[in-house]
Amino acid sequence: MKKKIAVIGSGFSGLSAASYLSKYGFEVHVFEKNTEVGGRARKFTTDNGYTFDMGPSWYWMPDIIEDFFQDFGSKTSDFYELISLNPQFEMIFSDDIMNVPENYGEMKDLFESIEKGAGNRLEEFMKDAAAKYEIGMKEFVVKPCHSWIEFISPKIAKNALKLDLLTNFSRFVRKYFQHPKLIILMEFPVIFLGAAPKDIPALYSLMNYGGYRLGTWYPMGGFSKVTEAMMSIAIRNSVKFNFDSNVEKINVFDGRAQSLTINGTEQYFDFIIASSDYHHTEQHLLDKKYRNYNFDYWEKKILAPSCLIYYLGFKKKISNLKHHTLFFENDLYEHTNDIYKEKKWPSKPLFYVCCSSKTDKSMAPENCENVFLLMPVAPGLEDSEEVREDYFKQMIERLEKHTGETELSSYIDYKRSYCINDFQTDYNAYKGNAYGLANTLSQTAVLKPAIRNKKIKNLLYTGQLTVPGPGVPPSIISGKIVANEVKKYFKYEKTL
């Protein structure tokens, strides 16, 4: 008789775990508190025809995502069309505009035009980053991280120094580049890892390779096409999905999670995977004596940012706007200091604009645009409509200045804000975080919250608050890691 597995949550890690577990022969049931699949990668469509991806919009590390589908005998192209963006994105400075080209040769030329010798140094940087990517994404991040012993392998040992775990990312970038604009361009990808570049290990130059070198892509129909495709894989493997299903309690007896209370009804399982927010799972679904960590532990953790998002529909085409645009007219380090050190609303914010209707006409009505404004903020702040609107006005004014479009607000056909309070309500996100746990050195690998509950034999955690960390590819890998741990558990159990 098949062992019955429950997966709490249908974000990337939950979908990944469910798919692999079903492939391994388990009976898998996914419970999602919201009405659709995807977790933070949900989408919504308005009554007047705008479609918005609610979360991820940067399709980087395409090979890692492809690996998931190949594990099930499929390809991403079986489910959606990928478009390589050119330019990859646009970066707005106070005195200049930089378009990052799709073609790597053109990117080297761009670097050379800004700083003499920087084109060749970019090649050196990317060679180093490629090695880190190969080791980091194929060897380092796939470990369950129960113990440092896991990392004693010939390949990791041979390349340990190349991983640069003890060098900070900011110092590493400055080994290659001196021009402030190139430094910012190279440092910005790690902001969403949850700390300032000076507090992130140089290992994460692998993100520059996974983005700039492998390209910035867009799945036609929106990022939700990825979660829908993963759900199709899961259903093909007989996974059962249950929506509007709020898990209220993990019921434990004799050291084992026996059942879940879901919408007031108890259901029994042989094993439970919590793809839900780790903090919420422990502090609200488990009795105190079964928790890995207490309140003080979580208070000391360094979280990646939350964000203020505005979903906007404009009843006009907006000129001079690319698919991805980064507004970096203000100081990067002042904004990151406000997030990570001062933990306050930013005084001079940076922000990001996504206008996917520039690439995909299906995302907005004819002659209209869907626009997504995102401003990183510290988690745990007091969130109010008044504060949101103040920053909205600042972002719209800067968008108008850049595009040359006046009175953009008068063309708004749809408007919705989303911030800390919404992340808490929709995802039970600890302090309203948007991206999980920061990838600082003190929160890397074994030093992250454990995937295994230390007091309950048949409960594992997955997702962005545990290994390997935040982001779409790491979350997919996280789901695979826990699925393999379940497989090993039952193989071990049979030998008892």
Side-chain angles (χ1 to χ4, degrees):
M1 188 173 182
K2 286 186 175 182
K3 297 293 185 181
K4 191 175 178 183
I5 315 289
V7 177
I8 308 172
S10 69
F12 284 105
S13 64
L15 287 168
S16 174
S19 298
Y20 284 108
L21 286 166
S22 189
K23 178 184 177 183
Y24 297 156
F26 297 103
E27 179 185 331
V28 184
H29 299 257
V30 176
F31 297 95
E32 169 59 54
K33 74 187 287 285
N34 294 303
T35 58
E36 64 276 297
V37 74
R40 286 166 170 80
R42 294 181 297 156
K43 73 173 182 182
F44 70 93
T45 300
T46 69
D47 291 340
N48 52 350
Y50 297 94
T51 298
F52 296 94
D53 284 317
M54 294 188 70
S57 57
W58 291 78
Y59 197 107
W60 277 2
M61 304 186 185
D63 57 324
I64 304 298
I65 300 174
E66 192 70 51
D67 285 347
F68 169 83
F69 290 95
Q70 288 182 356
D71 282 346
F72 296 90
S74 298
K75 305 183 295 293
T76 53
S77 58
D78 295 334
F79 299 95
Y80 52 85
E81 178 187 5
L82 274 179
I83 302 293
S84 179
L85 298 181
N86 189 29
Q88 296 190 42
F89 58 91
E90 187 172 55
M91 185 170 275
I92 312 301
F93 297 102
S94 59
D95 61 348
D96 192 18
I97 296 173
M98 183 189 298
N99 283 291
V100 177
E102 170 191 39
N103 181 274
Y104 182 58
E106 292 177 11
M107 191 183 304
K108 289 170 65 177
D109 292 341
L110 171 66
F111 274 60
E112 188 66 29
S113 71
I114 294 171
E115 179 183 321
K116 186 174 177 57
N120 288 334
R121 289 194 295 276
L122 175 64
E123 180 68 17
E124 295 169 9
F125 181 100
M126 286 300 178
K127 283 182 180 177
D128 180 273
K132 288 175 181 165
Y133 189 84
E134 180 63 26
I135 303 162
M137 297 306 296
K138 305 297 171 66
E139 297 282 334
F140 195 79
V141 305
V142 298
K143 309 294 185 184
C145 296
H146 301 312
S147 164
W148 289 113
I149 294 172
E150 297 167 25
F151 296 91
I152 302 174
S153 74
K155 188 169 184 178
I156 292 178
K158 180 181 177 182
N159 296 283
L161 292 177
K162 293 181 182 179
L163 293 177
D164 277 323
L165 282 169
L166 300 180
T167 303
N168 78 59
F169 188 76
S170 183
R171 186 181 303 127
F172 180 78
V173 168
R174 284 163 175 77
K175 282 174 50 180
Y176 295 90
F177 311 108
Q178 299 301 316
H179 197 284
K181 289 174 183 173
L182 294 184
I183 289 172
I184 289 172
L185 177 64
M186 300 307 282
E187 287 186 343
F188 112 81
V190 305
I191 292 175
F192 297 103
L193 291 176
K198 66 182 179 61
D199 298 318
I200 292 283
L203 165 68
Y204 290 105
S205 63
L206 62 84
M207 289 191 63
N208 299 84
Y209 178 82
Y212 300 167
R213 191 66 180 92
L214 297 185
T216 300
W217 301 79
Y218 173 76
M220 292 297 285
F223 216 101
S224 60
K225 287 294 182 182
V226 185
T227 53
E228 290 169 5
M230 291 179 73
M231 182 179 178
S232 295
I233 292 286
I235 290 173
R236 183 189 299 171
N237 283 275
S238 303
V239 174
K240 306 294 190 299
F241 284 86
N242 305 272
F243 297 103
D244 290 315
S245 297
N246 186 39
V247 175
E248 298 157 342
K249 186 76 184 290
I250 299 173
N251 304 300
V252 181
F253 178 76
D254 196 24
R256 295 178 65 87
Q258 297 286 335
S259 64
L260 297 177
T261 302
I262 305 161
N263 295 343
T265 301
E266 192 172 6
Q267 297 189 39
Y268 292 84
F269 299 94
D270 297 298
F271 209 103
I272 292 168
I273 303 295
S275 176
S276 45
D277 180 272
Y278 198 132
H279 171 271
H280 171 78
T281 304
E282 290 231 313
Q283 301 298 311
H284 298 280
L285 304 187
L286 285 172
D287 291 337
K288 188 175 182 179
K289 61 183 177 180
Y290 297 121
R291 298 169 188 167
N292 277 349
Y293 308 107
N294 60 23
F295 175 84
D296 291 338
Y297 171 89
W298 287 107
E299 280 295 302
K300 292 174 183 175
K301 291 289 103 178
I302 303 169
L303 293 173
S306 185
C307 52
L308 168 60
I309 302 171
Y310 270 91
Y311 306 103
L312 305 171
F314 288 92
K315 52 186 177 183
K316 68 166 300 190
K317 301 300 288 185
I318 300 176
S319 58
N320 303 315
L321 185 63
K322 302 294 192 295
H323 188 120
H324 294 305
T325 308
L326 299 164
F327 283 77
F328 274 54
E329 315 101 304
N330 295 330
D331 187 82
L332 169 64
Y333 310 108
E334 185 174 342
H335 190 151
T336 55
N337 187 67
D338 287 344
I339 293 174
Y340 305 121
K341 300 298 182 186
E342 299 297 326
K343 298 180 180 178
K344 66 177 185 178
W345 287 94
S347 51
K348 294 182 179 178
L350 312 175
F351 69 103
Y352 155 64
V353 177
C354 178
C355 185
S356 58
S357 54
K358 290 295 182 185
T359 303
D360 187 348
K361 293 180 180 179
S362 72
M363 303 302 280
E366 188 175 358
N367 297 318
C368 296
E369 306 276 29
N370 75 331
V371 172
F372 170 113
L373 309 179
L374 184 151
M375 183 183 80
V377 300
L381 298 176
E382 186 174 343
D383 176 17
S384 70
E385 286 300 322
E386 291 76 17
V387 170
R388 296 184 189 193
E389 278 298 301
D390 179 61
Y391 285 104
F392 170 73
K393 291 172 184 176
Q394 293 183 49
M395 289 188 283
I396 282 292
E397 287 174 3
R398 288 160 66 182
L399 183 59
E400 288 177 340
K401 180 180 178 181
H402 167 61
T403 60
E405 300 274 6
T406 59
E407 300 181 357
L408 272 178
S409 293
S410 65
Y411 293 95
I412 292 177
D413 203 20
Y414 179 85
K415 179 180 178 183
R416 175 185 178 185
S417 65
Y418 202 94
C419 198
I420 292 168
N421 292 346
D422 302 294
F423 281 102
Q424 291 173 323
T425 298
D426 287 355
Y427 311 120
N428 297 312
Y430 180 46
K431 294 187 176 181
N433 82 83
Y435 302 99
L437 199 66
N439 270 338
T440 60
L441 182 58
S442 64
Q443 295 180 164
T444 293
V446 176
L447 302 177
K448 288 184 183 292
I451 67 167
R452 185 165 56 196
N453 186 289
K454 301 167 187 177
K455 301 165 187 176
I456 303 172
K457 298 176 182 178
N458 59 334
L459 172 62
L460 291 172
Y461 305 93
T462 185
Q464 58 185 11
L465 284 174
T466 183
V467 295
V472 173
S475 292
I476 293 173
I477 292 170
S478 184
K480 185 176 184 179
I481 289 170
V482 298
N484 287 333
E485 289 296 294
V486 175
K487 184 169 67 168
K488 285 190 289 185
Y489 172 86
F490 281 108
K491 183 178 179 181
Y492 171 73
E493 187 181 62
K494 289 175 184 177
T495 67
L496 295 180

